[in-house]
Amino acid sequence: MKVKVISRSTDEFTRERSNDLQRVFRNFDPSLRTQEKAVEYVRALNAAKMDKIFARPFVGAMDGHIDSVSCMAKNPNHLKGIFSGSMDGDIRLWDIASRRTICQFPGHQGAVRGLTASTDGRILVSCGTDCTVRLWNVPLATGMESDDLSDNSAKQLAVYVWKNAFWAVDHQCDGNLFATAGAQVEIWDHNRSQPVNSFEWGKDTVISVRFNPGEPNVLAISASDRSIAIYDLRMSSPTTKTKTNSISWNPMEPMNFTAFLLLEILDYVWWGLTVLLLHDIVIGCSAFLLAFWHANEDCNCYSYDARKLDEAKCVHKDHVSAVMDIDYSPTGREFVTGSYDRTITIFQYNGGHSREIYHTKRMQRVFCVKFSCDGSYVISGSDDTNLRLWKANASEQLGVLLPREPKNHEYREAVKNHYKHLPEVKRIVR
């Protein structure tokens, strides 16, 4: 007869130090733990309550601009770097960790309307209402770690003067091309002073342009006549066209993109500029999300299935005014929106209601929002000249964690998601 015995190594349950916790081996047989579901339900309630108690999303503000922050761009080469441009022509590179300016890029004589960085993070492309496109040499990432930034000053590589103002710019994901939006769409090369290609659809101003992250030769543009066109650089005409106003591709599902639909034009006089109400569309592979925020009506977002357009598949609610900018998280499962109603909202890509709504008393109309490169933080730029840093997860604990703390957080999140359909847990979470 064979007898199997339990054998454990002494290293598994022997404490290294006298003040260490004694490891306990537990038997998870449900017949021996009859109250396990009740205990887990209470733990789920406590986890939901603790998320609300410890929700401190605001990390800090980055001040330095003297005019409204109009656009931002992430630095693909450095996790902590982000670029910002303001209405007075000032461009800055920020270190998110220390929340300070690394260097400035002086040169624009008008409002900076678009910023983008090359894939390697070495070149910054900016455009504005002064009819110029400027290429900048980005300081090395090592300069962010030092206090002496005298050798990391911004160097202007090239200036392209054009006949029309620019409203947006985006760099090709893999290559030396970048596209600008204005009276028409121009395709530029780093090594040439004239556009290598030009696209035009109608006579209205193009206000947004985005390259597809999965296919470098495909880009989508939107114009002020509520139209969107998808171009292939290998063709001379648009691939398709629909009505929209601003675009953001899903980084994990390149066939999906998010854009703002202009359903109604309402004029806001703001320092001599006419601000248009922007709205939102999310288009998916088998379904597309038609989302719009209206300042005077129901302020809802509507999700439609492309195979059945006679009724909404999902309604997304929470904004009460125009949405000005949107950006996907690196995972593609969430997107953040900045609105004219002075709030920042984080949505699940398929969620009916927002997961989080951030706002402060001093924050004014939000013009641009970005997820950090690791998806842990959200950066917003607003009319009050400040950039603000927020946690993507409002109750996330910052700083160095003990080895047991991440496991504890994962367990609490697991039990909360397991019982999230129950009324009491759902009420606390909402």
Side-chain angles (χ1 to χ4, degrees):
M1 183 180 66
K2 294 183 179 180
V3 179
K4 294 183 179 180
V5 298
I6 299 176
S7 62
R8 298 190 180 101
S9 174
T10 56
D11 296 336
E12 294 181 0
F13 55 88
T14 302
R15 294 183 293 181
E16 295 181 1
R17 293 178 295 271
S18 59
N19 56 352
D20 289 346
L21 295 177
Q22 183 70 43
R23 186 169 182 177
V24 179
F25 293 93
R26 297 181 180 178
N27 190 339
F28 294 97
D29 186 1
S31 62
L32 300 178
R33 310 175 70 190
T34 56
Q35 298 296 322
E36 180 62 23
K37 289 187 177 181
V39 172
E40 284 191 346
Y41 175 70
V42 174
R43 290 175 180 173
L45 286 176
N46 293 335
K49 293 176 183 178
M50 291 176 68
D51 283 347
K52 299 302 178 183
I53 293 173
F54 294 104
R56 300 292 185 271
F58 182 68
V59 178
M62 296 178 282
D63 56 342
H65 287 292
I66 60 175
D67 210 335
S68 301
V69 180
S70 56
C71 56
M72 291 191 299
K74 289 180 282 191
N75 188 353
N77 194 36
H78 200 271
L79 190 64
K80 301 187 297 181
I82 190 167
F83 302 97
S84 66
S86 66
M87 299 298 292
D88 63 347
D90 184 23
I91 303 174
R92 293 171 179 254
L93 172 60
W94 301 86
D95 183 9
I96 298 178
S98 60
R99 300 197 295 274
R100 64 190 181 101
T101 301
I102 299 302
C103 68
Q104 294 180 257
F105 303 80
H108 280 283
Q109 302 300 320
V112 180
R113 305 300 304 185
L115 289 174
T116 185
S118 60
T119 307
D120 58 6
R122 297 180 179 180
I123 297 178
L124 173 68
V125 184
S126 64
C127 67
T129 56
D130 57 354
C131 305
T132 62
V133 178
R134 299 174 185 267
L135 269 63
W136 310 85
N137 183 27
V138 179
L140 297 177
T142 55
M144 294 188 180
E145 309 298 338
S146 62
D147 295 330
D148 184 13
L149 302 175
S150 58
D151 296 335
N152 293 324
S153 58
K155 179 182 178 181
Q156 189 168 273
L157 300 178
V159 180
Y160 305 144
V161 181
W162 203 236
K163 53 190 175 182
N164 299 308
F166 297 100
W167 290 94
V169 64
D170 191 42
H171 199 281
Q172 195 177 27
C173 299
D174 185 14
N176 293 326
L177 300 179
F178 62 91
T180 57
Q184 56 188 2
V185 179
E186 286 90 12
I187 309 300
W188 305 75
D189 192 298
H190 290 179
N191 302 318
R192 300 186 61 179
S193 60
Q194 296 291 328
V196 297
N197 205 345
S198 180
F199 298 102
E200 184 177 0
W201 182 285
K203 299 299 181 183
D204 290 283
T205 302
V206 179
I207 58 177
S208 179
V209 59
R210 289 290 186 273
F211 274 98
N212 189 304
E215 178 53 58
N217 292 316
V218 175
L219 73 157
I221 63 100
S222 60
S224 57
D225 62 347
R226 303 182 301 166
S227 65
I228 179 173
I230 300 178
Y231 288 97
D232 193 328
L233 299 183
R234 297 161 293 190
M235 301 175 63
S236 59
S237 61
T239 304
T240 185
K241 181 184 177 184
T242 185
K243 294 182 179 180
T244 189
N245 199 331
S246 181
I247 303 154
S248 177
W249 294 95
N250 189 323
M252 299 302 294
E253 299 175 358
M255 74 290 292
N256 301 342
F257 68 92
T258 303
F260 294 113
L261 175 65
L262 183 60
L263 295 183
E264 179 179 351
I265 299 177
L266 299 181
D267 294 336
Y268 285 85
V269 178
W270 174 63
W271 292 342
L273 298 177
T274 300
V275 179
L276 303 180
L277 279 184
L278 303 180
H279 307 278
D280 191 64
I281 300 175
V282 181
I283 297 183
C285 51
S286 63
F288 71 89
L289 168 71
L290 172 61
F292 64 87
W293 283 263
H294 198 284
N296 295 324
E297 297 183 0
D298 57 3
C299 310
N300 294 336
C301 313
Y302 297 91
S303 176
Y304 288 90
D305 192 328
R307 300 163 296 184
K308 188 177 181 182
L309 299 177
D310 55 346
E311 62 179 357
K313 183 178 180 181
C314 182
V315 180
H316 303 257
K317 302 179 179 180
D318 281 338
H319 274 295
V320 296
S321 188
V323 179
M324 306 303 291
D325 196 15
I326 188 168
D327 186 49
Y328 266 102
S329 68
T331 61
R333 301 295 91 184
E334 296 178 339
F335 60 89
V336 59
T337 59
S339 174
Y340 219 72
D341 59 9
R342 308 177 184 181
T343 63
I344 301 166
T345 306
I346 300 176
F347 286 92
Q348 298 286 346
Y349 77 104
N350 57 356
H353 282 276
S354 61
R355 181 175 64 82
E356 298 285 356
I357 299 178
Y358 297 157
H359 62 88
T360 63
K361 293 182 179 180
R362 289 187 175 184
M363 186 168 66
Q364 299 300 314
R365 297 167 293 188
V366 181
F367 292 143
C368 49
V369 289
K370 291 291 181 184
F371 262 103
S372 62
C373 294
D374 60 351
S376 300
Y377 298 94
V378 172
I379 304 98
S380 65
S382 55
D383 196 9
D384 56 7
T385 74
N386 282 338
L387 277 76
R388 288 179 171 84
L389 185 64
W390 311 80
K391 291 187 289 186
N393 186 1
S395 59
E396 183 179 3
Q397 185 177 350
L398 299 180
V400 179
L401 301 180
L402 297 176
R404 295 172 59 90
E405 289 179 325
K407 296 181 180 180
N408 185 25
H409 293 165
E410 293 174 1
Y411 175 75
R412 290 194 317 211
E413 190 69 21
V415 296
K416 187 178 67 174
N417 291 333
H418 184 69
Y419 293 96
K420 64 181 180 181
H421 62 281
L422 297 181
E424 190 67 16
V425 178
K426 185 188 297 185
R427 182 187 65 84
I428 297 173
V429 172
R430 292 182 58 183

